[in-house]
Structures are given as C-alpha cells and as structure tokens.
Amino acid sequence: MSTPPVTLDPRAAPERLREFLDAARARVDTDLEHRLAVPGVDPGRLRAAMHYAATGPGKRLRPALVLAAAAACGGDDSSALPAATAIELLHAYTLVHDDLPAMDDDDERRGRPTVHIAFGEAIAILAGDGLLTMAFGCLAELGPRAGAAVATLAARAGAAELLGGQAIDLSLGEHPTADLATIEDLHAKKTGALFAAAAELGAIAAGAPD
C-alpha cells in the first residue's frame, strides 16, 4: 500500500514562522529595554547611545535562533533569554563599529542616522564597547552553563571568525578582485559566525550535551 502524498498549505509554515519571530522579538526587545534603561544621569549620553543602537528597528533573527535552538534541545525561553539578549547586544556592537568612519563610514542604518552621526564618533566607540561588555555580562546569568557560553561567544566573535571577517572585508578595498573562496570566507566569518553562535548558545542554555 503506497503512502498518500502529504499536502502542505503554503501559508501555514510562513504564518507560524512569523508568529514565532514576532514573539521572540517582543521578548528580546522587552529585555533590552529593561537592561538599557537610561538613568537620570548619563554623562556624554553614553547610555542613550547604547539604547539607541540596540533597540532600533531590526528582525532580531539571531536571538530568535537562540530561542529556537533552546526549544529544540528541551529548554525554554526564560532560561535562554539572557543568551538571546547577549547575541543581539553583541550584534548591535558590531554594527556600531562597522558604521564608523574608520570602517564603512555609513551615515544611515535601518532607516535612521547611525550612532556616530547621532551621538558623535567618540561616544559611538564607547557605546559599542559598552554593548559588547554587557553581552558577556548577560551570559554570566546562565549559572553553571555560563563558562561554556562565554567561551563559545568569545571564539565566534573573536579574531579567528567575526573580527577576522571584518578584517577581510576591509582588505577587499585594496583587492577588489578577490576570488570566490575569499568571498565565501568573508561571509562565513562576518555573518555566519554569529548565526552559528546563536544556535550553540541556545543549546548550551538548554543544558544540551556537547
């Protein structure tokens, strides 16, 4: 007896995916707002710049992947939320620094002025540094799993991967005819590394074995 073909409604999966992404974005945005609340005293508007950088428009795909990976490994949103927020904070830091005049020199990001345009170059550098530091502080909340999470994110975001990808990107200005292998290496490091970290952090937060 043959198995009847499975009929899929093409609208069902995208709708469920949209619902999941919307819910993940709402949870992460709420956590970001809580962590980045601007105090009454904010010298140089540093905290305001950090808030501006991390809470602007965005799909929050990386933190959504953290939550999805945690669920796939038997965890829940609450236990994985610090890791999800951490990956978004780190991603925001990379965007702030990537937009600087010494890097890509962009004036606009996600439909509004970049951080160095809105707050000045010096505060933008400090804001990026602050977001990076806060990201690792979030991972410390994972308790006994914090060490593995910190090591994973540090490796993915360091010179061998994410930062190395940015260095390749900068070097392409001097070598505009880079071969395909170089371009693939660039994207695997500059973009792929954080998506890999997101999946790994979700599993770690859920207590999955190596």
Side-chain angles (χ1 to χ4, degrees), residues 32 36 46-57 60 88-89 91-97 109-110 112-116 119 124 127-128 131:
L32 287 170
L36 293 165
L46 171 59
R47 293 296 296 269
M50 292 170 62
H51 181 277
Y52 180 89
T55 62
R60 311 290 188 257
E88 186 63 19
L89 288 167
H91 177 55
Y93 127 77
T94 68
L95 299 183
V96 173
H97 283 191
R109 165 77 64 179
R110 295 171 174 171
R112 61 181 191 166
T114 51
V115 178
H116 72 271
F119 294 87
L131 294 170

Side-chain angles (χ1 to χ4, degrees), residues 66-123:
V66 173
L67 299 180
C73 294
D76 56 48
D77 283 3
S78 296
S79 62
L81 187 59
T85 299
I87 204 95
E88 186 63 19
L89 288 167
L90 193 140
H91 177 55
Y93 127 77
T94 68
L95 299 183
V96 173
H97 283 191
D98 195 46
D99 290 336
L100 288 168
M103 297 282 189
D104 289 352
D105 196 16
D106 289 322
D107 293 340
E108 188 173 288
R109 165 77 64 179
R110 295 171 174 171
R112 61 181 191 166
T114 51
V115 178
H116 72 271
I117 294 296
F119 294 87
E121 188 174 343
I123 290 298

Side-chain angles (χ1 to χ4, degrees), residues 28-69:
V28 171
D29 282 350
T30 297
D31 198 42
L32 287 170
E33 286 288 349
H34 171 72
R35 294 176 186 275
L36 293 165
V38 180
V41 178
D42 184 22
R45 300 182 68 208
L46 171 59
R47 293 296 296 269
M50 292 170 62
H51 181 277
Y52 180 89
T55 62
K59 296 181 287 294
R60 311 290 188 257
L61 291 179
R62 292 158 190 81
L65 182 55
V66 173
L67 299 180

Side-chain angles (χ1 to χ4, degrees), residues 171-210:
S171 73
L172 292 184
E174 304 167 9
H175 307 285
T177 56
D179 58 23
L180 179 59
T182 300
I183 299 300
E184 289 178 336
D185 191 34
L186 160 65
H187 291 300
K189 291 177 176 175
K190 185 172 180 179
T191 302
L194 275 193
F195 279 102
E200 291 165 337
L201 288 177
I204 291 169
D210 290 346

